[in-house]
Amino acid sequence: MCLLLGATGVGKTLLLKRLQKLSVRDGTTDLGEPPVTLPTVGTNLTDLTLKRTRVTVRELGGCMGPIWPSYYTDCSSVIFMVDSANTTQMSSSCIQLLSVLSAEPLHTASVLVIFNKRDLPCTMSLVEMMSLFRMDDIIASATQPITTLELSARSGQGLQEVLGWLDSTLTD
């Protein structure tokens, strides 16, 4: 099981819908228009078919942050999303990430930190985001393997890398 976590409005539902479309496509690279999404209240379960395996991704709504820990057991990987265009949400996202990384059941889970919304003109650069989050320090002190990636769930930039990360993480 892979958990998809992040604050409200970071693009988790759109990412999941786009990944699902990519994972079942028949060779076409056209994702089409982004589907309409609503903020998740509760959870969404989605099965993705990867190159070497299948994975169930459980998206937890951002408003459910206080009860995320009840979903940590039986989790082998975590995707944590950050809205790189929402500067007012950065500090709370960093605190949420640190809380996720310090949770005992997730000490061996592989973690992918995604900086989303790269297609917007007002986003910080990846270097700025990594510095603001002090990702080098977090990666050095965490017990989990952590990968960072920037993407745009809306445009599709970076989606193949997410599928590749899932495939390699879950089959290693």
Side-chain angles (χ1 to χ4, degrees), residues 23-95:
S23 74
V24 296
R25 70 176 190 197
D26 52 3
T28 180
T29 57
D30 182 26
L31 286 170
E33 286 297 311
V36 175
T37 61
L38 296 170
T40 301
V41 178
T43 71
N44 284 330
L45 282 175
T46 303
D47 288 326
L48 300 176
T49 303
L50 307 173
K51 288 179 184 169
R52 299 181 282 182
T53 189
R54 267 176 76 92
V55 63
T56 300
V57 179
R58 179 186 298 269
E59 173 199 355
L60 298 176
C63 63
M64 294 180 56
I67 63 168
W68 286 354
S70 62
Y71 292 91
Y72 291 168
T73 55
D74 300 325
C75 172
S76 61
S77 60
V78 174
I79 299 174
F80 188 88
M81 285 190 79
V82 177
D83 181 344
S84 60
N86 188 344
T87 55
T88 60
Q89 202 177 57
M90 296 293 171
S91 60
S92 61
S93 289
C94 188
I95 291 168

Side-chain angles (χ1 to χ4, degrees), residues 98 101-102 107 109 111 135-146:
L98 291 171
L101 294 174
S102 66
H107 275 196
V111 177
M135 284 306 295
D136 290 339
D137 293 337
I138 290 173
I139 291 169
S141 62
T143 60
Q144 306 90 330
I146 300 174

Side-chain angles (χ1 to χ4, degrees), residues 125-162:
S125 71
L126 183 60
V127 171
E128 290 172 318
M129 296 291 295
M130 297 278 286
S131 175
L132 186 63
F133 270 70
R134 297 188 59 157
M135 284 306 295
D136 290 339
D137 293 337
I138 290 173
I139 291 169
S141 62
T143 60
Q144 306 90 330
I146 300 174
T147 304
T148 58
L149 180 65
E150 61 181 342
L151 66 75
S152 168
R154 178 169 291 285
S155 73
Q157 171 204 350
L159 294 177
Q160 287 293 351
E161 289 87 342
V162 176

